Amino acid sequence: TPLCVDDRRYAAAFAREKSALQGWGAVKIRFLLRGKGVSDEIITEALQEIDAAKAASKLDKLAADKYRLLKDDPQCKLKMLKALLSRGYGYDEVEAAVVRAIQNQTE
């Protein structure tokens, strides 16, 4: 049906835009598209449209920015993890980005 084509185009554009501009991760994008009634099959296709290298770079930049804000806070690492997880990234990628941000700033 024509609606499916529109859903595909909408979901792909939504995923690309939210990842690139807002710095959202796949978890958050999937959740929001599901809330809009987009099927899981289309969501999975749309998430493949995200440039993985750009998304990783965006996550690293967000982690570095957050570290600069929180570096003197005793709960810095925990707060960084929570902030980046709330953007919809997976735990493993967030933890790795936080470790890289802390290492890069302390070197």
Side-chain angles (χ1 to χ4, degrees), residues 13-52:
F14 184 89
R16 283 191 309 268
E17 178 186 315
K18 296 303 180 187
S19 174
L21 300 179
Q22 270 84 16
W24 290 358
V27 175
K28 186 169 188 172
I29 293 169
R30 179 179 296 278
F31 177 79
L32 291 170
L33 285 172
R34 237 186 228 143
K36 294 175 182 289
V38 178
S39 75
D40 284 339
E41 175 192 341
I42 292 174
I43 293 170
T44 300
E45 288 175 21
L47 292 174
Q48 292 170 354
E49 295 272 331
I50 295 173
D51 183 328

Side-chain angles (χ1 to χ4, degrees), residues 19 23-25 27 55 58-59 62 84-85 87-91 93-94:
S19 174
W24 290 358
V27 175
K58 185 78 166 180
L59 177 58
L62 292 168
L84 296 173
L85 286 170
R87 285 188 165 261
Y89 290 95
Y91 183 82
E93 59 187 334
V94 165

Side-chain angles (χ1 to χ4, degrees), residues 49-90:
E49 295 272 331
I50 295 173
D51 183 328
K54 283 184 183 173
S57 174
K58 185 78 166 180
L59 177 58
D60 283 339
K61 183 187 180 317
L62 292 168
D65 291 348
K66 191 55 81 173
Y67 180 72
R68 278 193 289 282
L69 286 173
L70 297 171
K71 64 184 171 202
D72 297 326
D73 189 315
Q75 292 188 323
C76 173
K77 188 172 180 182
L78 175 65
K79 288 182 178 181
M80 287 176 69
L81 287 168
K82 286 175 65 174
L84 296 173
L85 286 170
S86 74
R87 285 188 165 261
Y89 290 95

